Amino acid sequence: MNIGKTIKNLRRERDMTQEQLAEYLSISPQAVSRWETDLALPDITLLPALSGVFGVSVDELLGMNRSNDIHKKVH
């Protein structure tokens, strides 16, 4: 899953609008829309705030499963 789909799914699970998420992050709703449609990526400085809003780690937000990723690199 890509970060745009992850953001969209997490936002919907929390019953948030794009406008509400944008307001919390002090960005435009259009920026959130561009992320969710894979036209742009969130600025790296927003990742901690995004993960905080959704209650997930930055790794989860990026679609990484640490144990699987580490295992693949070692073997």
Side-chain angles (χ1 to χ4, degrees):
M1 185 178 295
N2 62 40
I3 191 167
K5 284 185 181 179
T6 301
I7 291 170
K8 185 175 188 174
N9 289 340
L10 290 169
R11 179 181 59 75
R12 286 183 170 176
E13 285 173 12
R14 282 145 186 86
D15 203 26
M16 292 179 77
T17 65
Q18 288 180 343
E19 291 78 12
Q20 289 169 321
L21 179 59
E23 185 177 328
Y24 180 82
L25 297 171
S26 299
I27 60 171
S28 72
Q30 292 82 7
V32 175
S33 176
R34 287 192 299 268
W35 301 342
E36 292 184 358
T37 56
D38 294 323
L39 296 175
L41 294 170
D43 188 277
I44 194 168
T45 61
L46 292 174
L47 295 180
L50 274 168
S51 66
V53 167
F54 298 134
V56 299
S57 69
V58 172
D59 285 344
E60 290 174 272
L61 190 63
L62 296 174
M64 296 179 63
N65 181 334
R66 286 188 57 90
S67 62
N68 287 344
D69 291 341
I70 291 170
H71 182 73
K72 288 177 187 174
K73 290 178 183 176
V74 173
H75 293 93

